[in-house]
């Protein structure tokens, strides 16, 4: 099993563990933090099941799903969650997603997190393409991805079914050679 440990200046990424359930529930259970996600806030039991699934995915061969705790490097607190999902039919490409506790918003943490995910994907996993999809209304995610060096590719209409109906997604991506040039 490949254990993830990835350090940046302000953040670190590591595999989630059952001890992270309460901290992750502070994100996944918060209506403000989940406003752009395709689901309603999750219960503690639902977050616990997600963590169990993430722990199982961490031992799969080949490993295609990385669910990572986002840790504040100074205080060593879990402040968010990040996902990197390698596409089985296109193993050179992976989708990222992330969520941060609202008290972290507006401080550039999202940009740092996207940069760290790109570094992990390109340097440690040897990917060629990393992409992410966001809600059209999620302007902070747009800013984080663009500032981190991702390119906006376009809109996928009615991409996700949410509790409120169908939602479009705006896709951003980064390519390995472009990322290395930065």
């Amino acid at each position: 099993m490949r254990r993830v440990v990835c350090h940046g200046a302000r953040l670190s990424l590591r595999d989630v563990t059952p001890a992270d359930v309460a901290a992750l529930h502070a994100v996944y259970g918060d209506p403000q933090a989940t406003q752009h996600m395709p689901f309603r806030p999750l219960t503690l039991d639902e977050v616990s099941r997600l963590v169990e699934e993430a722990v199982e995915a961490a031992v799969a061969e080949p490993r295609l799903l990385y669910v990572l705790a986002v840790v504040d490097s100074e205080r060593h607190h879990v402040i968010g969650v990040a996902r990197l999902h390698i596409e089985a039919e296109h193993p050179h490409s992976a989708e990222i997603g992330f969520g941060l506790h609202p008290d972290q918003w507006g401080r550039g943490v999202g940009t740092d997190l996207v940069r760290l995910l790109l570094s992990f994907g390109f340097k440690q996993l040897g990917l060629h393409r990393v992409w992410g999809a966001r809600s059209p209304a999620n302007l902070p995610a747009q800013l984080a991805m663009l500032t981190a060096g991702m390119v906006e590719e376009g809109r996928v209409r009615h991409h996700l079914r949410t509790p409120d109906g169908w939602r479009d997604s705006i896709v951003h991506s980064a390519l390995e050679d472009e990322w290395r040039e930065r």
Side-chain angles (χ1 to χ4, degrees), residues 113-135:
L113 175 54
V114 173
R115 285 183 177 135
L116 203 52
L117 284 167
L118 293 174
S119 178
F120 173 64
F122 293 132
K123 289 171 73 173
Q124 292 190 35
L125 299 179
L127 297 171
H128 176 71
R129 180 175 189 272
V130 175
W131 65 278
R134 65 170 176 84
S135 161

Side-chain angles (χ1 to χ4, degrees), residues 8-79:
R10 295 196 298 173
L11 304 173
S12 294
L13 299 174
R14 63 164 173 74
D15 286 297
V16 297
T17 69
D20 297 323
V21 169
L24 297 180
H25 183 254
V27 176
Y28 280 140
D30 184 291
Q32 188 178 9
T34 58
Q35 66 184 318
H36 298 295
M37 294 184 186
F39 52 82
R40 300 233 186 269
L42 302 179
T43 66
L44 193 60
D45 285 342
E46 289 170 325
V47 173
S48 181
R49 281 194 296 279
L50 285 177
V51 170
E52 288 173 14
E53 291 169 9
V55 170
E56 289 174 17
V59 296
E61 286 296 332
R63 185 169 181 184
L64 300 177
L65 178 63
Y66 295 82
V67 181
L68 308 169
V70 180
V71 180
D72 177 296
S73 296
E74 185 178 303
R75 297 179 305 149
H76 305 289
H77 291 130
V78 174
I79 60 169

Side-chain angles (χ1 to χ4, degrees), residues 98 110-111 114-115 118 134 139-153 170-173 182:
F98 55 93
T111 300
V114 173
R115 285 183 177 135
L118 293 174
R134 65 170 176 84
L139 299 182
Q142 175 188 24
L143 182 61
M145 289 191 274
L146 290 175
T147 304
M150 297 180 84
V151 173
E152 188 172 306
E153 291 186 341
I170 306 297
V171 176
H172 296 257
S173 71
R182 299 186 101 226

